[in-house]
Amino acid sequence: MNEAAILLTLAGVHFVALMSPGPDFALVVQNATKYGRQTGLYIALGLSFGILTQSLLSITGISYLVHDHPLLFAILQFAGGSYLLYLGYGALKAIITKLVRRDTNQQTSTKSSVVLNNKRQAFSKGFATNILNPKALVFFVSLMSTLVPASMPASGKALAVLILWSLSLFWFAFLAWTLSTERLQKRLTTMGTYIDTLCGIIFTAIGIYILHESLLPIFH
């Protein structure tokens, strides 16, 4: 397989993975629909830089060493699972608070002004969600080790990383932009509680699963 075919295959596999529902996808949907375009775009930027970091660590072999070292990988799993569980807890707690207070409009307005004025927080949230996801580490280790041969020149590897980053930024920014259009925002406003609940369940379920995986060796 020549270099062009390798890069096209890499791009195709990665783009399909990007569109699959998961923590990254759920984070963009939750924040773009709830807080608007600016927050959604900074979440997308943070996620793309998380993927850039994952790609660099994988192509240089650092991620492989972490994946191949049980203790380091277990620590990453525990940290990632805990963070996703924290996101899930926060989302579900906010829903319960809304239902108890019956003051959704006022609460949403207050939260939006806080998040929209803090671009760094939105970027950091996106970056942390991706970089702390051990499933992402496993995916990129598998992707790079399977599709990118060690004999590929440095220019080809650099182009591979650039493709993964640019596709990630394009997809998540497109998703954030689409979900925050005026017409769609009007429709999604009435579904805000359901979207937050679904995203909270996704974060919680994946977080619990990853924590279970990290603690499993201790009990065996």
Side-chain angles (χ1 to χ4, degrees), residues 8-55:
L8 283 173
T9 304
L10 187 73
V13 173
H14 180 56
F15 197 66
V16 170
L18 285 173
M19 292 188 289
S20 303
D24 294 354
F25 189 95
L27 191 70
V28 175
V29 171
Q30 182 191 32
N31 285 273
T33 56
K34 188 174 182 180
Y35 299 120
R37 180 166 295 167
Q38 181 172 258
T39 297
L41 290 175
Y42 273 92
I43 289 284
L45 188 63
L47 287 169
S48 72
F49 270 88
I51 288 171
L52 175 62
T53 304
Q54 295 272 21
S55 303

Side-chain angles (χ1 to χ4, degrees), residues 12 18 28 33 54 68 76 80 111 131 137-138 151 154 159 178 185 188 190-191 194 209:
L18 285 173
V28 175
T33 56
Q54 295 272 21
D68 208 40
L76 176 63
K111 285 191 173 183
I131 204 68
L137 181 143
V138 173
S151 59
L159 187 55
T178 303
Q185 277 284 295
L188 292 174
T190 58
M191 300 171 59
Y194 302 103
Y209 173 77

Side-chain angles (χ1 to χ4, degrees), residues 22-132:
D24 294 354
F25 189 95
L27 191 70
V28 175
V29 171
Q30 182 191 32
N31 285 273
T33 56
K34 188 174 182 180
Y35 299 120
R37 180 166 295 167
Q38 181 172 258
T39 297
L41 290 175
Y42 273 92
I43 289 284
L45 188 63
L47 287 169
S48 72
F49 270 88
I51 288 171
L52 175 62
T53 304
Q54 295 272 21
S55 303
L56 288 170
L57 292 176
S58 296
I59 209 161
T60 56
I62 295 175
S63 289
Y64 179 80
L65 293 176
V66 173
H67 179 255
D68 208 40
H69 195 292
L71 179 58
L72 288 178
F73 189 63
I75 291 173
L76 176 63
Q77 282 184 307
F78 186 81
S82 298
Y83 183 71
L84 291 175
L85 194 59
Y86 164 75
L87 291 180
Y89 169 76
L92 295 176
K93 182 181 178 182
I95 293 300
I96 294 172
T97 302
K98 283 182 181 181
L99 293 176
V100 171
R101 293 182 179 179
R102 299 290 182 180
D103 195 13
T104 303
N105 291 333
Q106 181 180 353
Q107 189 179 40
T108 301
S109 175
T110 303
K111 285 191 173 183
S112 295
S113 63
V114 174
V115 177
L116 286 174
N117 289 329
N118 197 336
K119 300 171 184 176
R120 182 181 298 179
Q121 183 184 21
F123 176 88
S124 300
K125 194 171 187 178
F127 182 82
T129 299
N130 182 270
I131 204 68
L132 290 176

